Amino acid sequence: MGEDVERILGRDAQRMNILAGRAVAEIVRSTLGPKGMDKMLVDSLGDIVVTGDGVTILKEMEIGHPAAKMVVEVAKVQEDEVGDGTTTSVVLTGAMLQKAEDLLNQQIHPAVIVNGYRLASEKALKILADLATDVKTGDDTVLKNVAKTSMKGRITESESEKLAGIVVSAVRKVSVTEGKSIKVDIDDIKVEKKSGGSLENTELIEGIVIDKERVHAGMPKSITKAKIALVNAAFEIEKTETEAEIRITSPDQLQAFMKQEENMLKDMVEKVMKSGANVLICQKGIDDLAQHYLAKAGVFAIRRVKESDMTKLSKATGARVASTISDLSEKDIGYSAQVEEMKIGGEAMTFVRGCKDPKAVTILIRGGTQHIIDEADRSLSDTIKVVGAAVESGKVVAGGGSPEIEVSLGLKKYAATVGGREQLAIEAFAGAMEIIPRSLAENGGLDPIDLLVKLKASHDKGQKSSGINVMEGTVSDMFKIGVIEPLKVKTQAIKSASEAAMMILKIDDVIAAGNLGGAGGMGGGAGGMPPMPDM
Ligand code: ADP
Ligand code: MG
């Protein structure tokens, strides 16, 4: 091996990796739950982000240590898969690593721990599946609570009530039944944001909002009972591709030439009129002269609309996108109650609203400052995913640490049936699950020991949805106080946390080109991690 290769072996490698993984978890642990703290992140240019969102924090931190990176990856997967539970998944990974460390100290072989963790993780998923309750697409109260539980941040109760309602309606509109299952493609929900007004002015549009104004001031500003043509072709005369020169030798010839162009554009506009459309939405350009003819005919037209918006418009209005103008016919036309140009936050936008049974909709976020609407955008996009996950799988669980305690108690019973050394690993896994209710209590400024005892006692008595009521400082039924999450948030967190923990435990040799960042492999290499507290 070359000289600049660093190698760490065996127990040292494990110790270093576990330490790095746990450090990542410790960074985000204080943000967990509705009373969690925020982090202020300052990048090298001095730009500031203040957030309590686990994955945002870790993405911004540029963590360098390889094992720490594996833990950050857990948060990213969680975000991609379900949009929520990122902090939970990372905190669980940290706790699993810590418990594994205890076992390693008792001379238990990593392979045994990995085996036990695998058994525990599989069993945990079964316990959660049994615990979950059904939710129907029409179940407004439950779905709104799912939205509100996920929507943490600096928003008031009435704002979160309003936004939750909007998200639930939006998800319901775009959900489609395929055989026995329900599919929600969150791309069918367009999120537009414009500063001005307040969060309370955020609205759901049963149709699509496009960041464009009508092409000609002579066109009507608003059209009711809109008949909409979607065209992916230019209303322009094609410029000759080759270098061919057209020699015009007399004024007559010029006249004739221009007349011909005029007629061609007129024909294009007539095609639109023939289809019955009074609104033209064009993916390409519209020539000035064509604009003039369209305006004269009383058509509302916008141009250079993004392809993704064309797709959504098609889903919302039922129109088919015509790829040539000559193709356009009556059966391609879509409908909406109204198409209107409106000034929002000083900018003209086109609202296609009042679509009948739209399969794509828009949420228009309003808010006092750019900071507020950006934060609302992040939060709403995650909430849309979360509600989508609840609708698709049709399963939810109570939150507030209740499912984690159910899993923990179930695993302890299961461990006894497995026996041997794996039993210890399964028990360790069970113990790691307690980190969630414990952290919720701690972050709420509550006594974690007292509350955990009460919580376990309640579950022992069969109160499966008892959790930490962070707001009141008590143990309460989480369904009753509306703290509800999709089953998928919990299963995904356990799956990816245990996979990452197992992957880290299986490493007994770290061979690095260059430097891992000092003796323990921490320090600079791990991006300036804080010292490890004893959990
Ligand atoms: P994550 O990134 O893991 O979603 P959060 O900071 O959003 O982290 O915290 C999620 C945890 O907080 C979940 O366990 C959830 O059940 C719990 N939680 C959310 N709202 C409440 C509440 N009002 N009372 C108790 N627990 C809550
Ligand atoms: Mg969350």
Side-chain angles (χ1 to χ4, degrees):
M1 265 192 272
E3 264 183 34
D4 52 355
V5 168
E6 187 175 329
R7 185 163 184 197
I8 302 169
L9 271 165
R11 192 66 185 88
D12 281 341
Q14 273 149 3
R15 193 170 288 126
M16 171 193 79
N17 285 336
I18 288 173
L19 203 63
R22 283 181 58 197
V24 173
E26 205 49 40
I27 292 166
V28 293
R29 197 167 74 89
S30 66
T31 69
L32 187 78
K35 291 247 177 126
M37 302 297 276
D38 289 338
K39 304 271 169 188
M40 178 185 265
L41 306 158
V42 187
D43 71 11
S44 51
L45 296 171
D47 285 338
I48 295 171
V49 179
V50 175
T51 178
D53 181 38
V55 74
T56 309
I57 295 165
L58 297 176
K59 272 186 195 160
E60 296 274 337
M61 279 189 58
E62 293 177 20
I63 287 166
H65 189 282
K69 273 185 173 167
M70 288 164 76
V71 179
V72 175
E73 205 52 44
V74 171
K76 289 187 184 158
V77 169
Q78 183 78 20
E79 158 112 308
D80 290 346
E81 292 287 324
V82 274
D84 198 14
T86 56
T87 310
T88 301
S89 62
V90 170
V91 167
L92 279 178
T93 313
M96 286 176 192
L97 288 173
Q98 190 207 346
K99 295 287 178 190
E101 169 102 82
D102 294 345
L103 295 178
L104 290 172
N105 286 338
Q106 295 168 44
Q107 311 304 326
I108 295 183
H109 196 275
V112 174
I113 304 174
V114 168
N115 230 353
Y117 274 21
R118 181 166 299 117
L119 292 171
S121 155
E122 279 162 12
K123 181 72 182 176
L125 298 185
K126 288 202 189 98
I127 295 170
L128 285 173
D130 287 344
L131 184 65
T133 56
D134 291 338
V135 61
K136 296 262 173 310
T137 314
D139 199 338
D140 222 50
T141 318
V142 172
L143 290 178
K144 264 163 95 172
N145 280 328
V146 167
K148 286 206 282 193
T149 302
S150 130
M151 227 175 343
K152 78 173 212 175
R154 289 164 288 273
I155 54 173
T156 64
E157 172 61 28
S158 75
E159 283 167 349
S160 86
E161 177 70 30
K162 164 116 204 230
L163 296 178
I166 287 177
V167 170
V168 171
S169 309
V171 169
R172 191 174 293 144
K173 286 263 179 268
V174 304
S175 63
V176 281
T177 314
E178 282 177 11
K180 274 191 180 163
S181 61
I182 298 172
K183 286 264 168 283
V184 178
D185 185 351
I186 57 161
D187 287 339
D188 292 337
I189 300 174
K190 182 176 182 189
V191 179
E192 268 287 344
K193 43 186 182 180
K194 273 279 171 289
S195 56
S198 76
L199 267 185
E200 301 255 11
N201 300 120
T202 297
E203 60 171 322
L204 173 68
I205 287 110
E206 301 206 355
I208 305 297
V209 178
I210 304 154
D211 214 346
K212 298 271 176 199
E213 57 187 325
R214 66 202 202 286
V215 289
H216 194 286
M219 290 176 172
K221 256 198 162 166
S222 164
I223 291 210
T224 45
K225 290 195 187 146
K227 295 182 183 142
I228 303 162
L230 303 178
V231 177
N232 178 18
F235 283 75
E236 285 162 351
I237 307 297
E238 250 180 79
K239 304 282 173 286
T240 41
E241 289 278 326
T242 51
E243 295 264 335
E245 225 174 284
I246 303 163
R247 258 177 226 281
I248 292 167
T249 48
S250 72
D252 280 359
Q253 237 177 334
L254 179 64
Q255 197 82 67
F257 184 68
M258 282 172 60
K259 192 80 205 156
Q260 196 190 351
E261 279 208 356
E262 224 178 280
N263 284 339
M264 283 163 82
L265 289 168
K266 225 180 205 162
D267 277 353
M268 291 179 186
V269 172
E270 250 151 40
K271 271 278 172 202
V272 175
M273 305 313 300
K274 245 202 198 133
S275 73
N278 50 17
V279 172
L280 167 65
I281 297 178
C282 186
Q283 199 177 328
K284 302 268 168 68
I286 303 176
D287 183 276
D288 287 354
L289 203 54
Q291 292 176 17
H292 166 78
Y293 290 135
L294 286 163
K296 249 172 76 179
V299 173
F300 180 109
I302 52 177
R303 64 175 167 177
R304 301 197 202 290
V305 173
K306 279 190 299 197
E307 187 177 358
S308 58
D309 280 343
M310 297 298 279
T311 310
K312 290 191 184 84
L313 280 162
S314 168
K315 285 189 175 180
T317 65
R320 192 189 67 98
V321 181
S323 51
T324 63
I325 295 164
S326 54
D327 248 13
L328 190 67
S329 78
E330 211 183 320
K331 61 181 195 311
D332 299 325
I333 301 301
Y335 301 90
S336 81
Q338 193 189 33
V339 171
E340 186 183 20
E341 182 186 300
M342 273 173 76
K343 271 227 158 76
I344 300 288
E347 251 182 88
M349 303 177 96
T350 296
F351 285 71
V352 178
R353 54 155 62 100
C355 299
K356 220 195 282 159
D357 192 22
K359 285 297 158 218
V361 296
T362 307
I363 295 175
L364 180 64
I365 301 179
R366 305 303 313 280
T369 67
Q370 196 64 35
H371 264 299
I372 291 176
I373 57 173
D374 284 347
E375 172 92 357
D377 183 14
R378 269 199 296 273
S379 166
L380 273 194
S381 304
D382 286 348
T383 306
I384 290 168
K385 263 194 205 168
V386 170
V387 175
V391 166
E392 272 195 348
S393 72
K395 298 276 181 194
V396 292
V397 291
S402 67
E404 287 83 3
I405 285 296
E406 271 302 304
V407 167
S408 180
L409 293 174
L411 284 181
K412 278 177 192 159
K413 283 190 199 126
Y414 169 65
T417 69
V418 174
R421 299 200 136 202
E422 267 88 1
Q423 175 173 353
L424 295 177
I426 297 169
E427 280 166 357
F429 193 111
M433 302 301 298
E434 292 178 10
I435 192 74
I436 300 304
R438 174 142 35 105
S439 305
L440 287 172
E442 269 175 34
N443 294 346
L446 309 168
D447 179 354
I449 298 173
D450 178 44
L451 282 173
L452 228 63
V453 169
K454 284 189 181 143
L455 186 58
K456 283 186 202 166
S458 177
H459 279 258
D460 275 335
K461 277 191 241 143
Q463 313 273 295
K464 291 173 191 279
S465 48
S466 281
I468 306 285
N469 185 339
V470 182
M471 302 306 176
E472 313 248 312
T474 55
V475 167
S476 320
D477 185 328
M478 292 290 118
F479 277 129
K480 285 212 178 101
I481 65 164
V483 177
I484 306 175
E485 298 183 85
L487 170 64
K488 202 173 163 196
V489 169
K490 295 297 159 190
T491 50
Q492 183 62 45
I494 289 181
K495 245 190 260 178
S496 34
S498 58
E499 271 167 22
M502 289 190 281
M503 211 187 281
I504 289 171
L505 289 171
K506 273 167 127 177
I507 299 165
D508 77 338
D509 195 354
V510 178
I511 308 158
N515 199 302
L516 276 167
M522 292 291 296
M529 304 246 191
M532 287 299 303
D534 268 323
M535 286 201 281

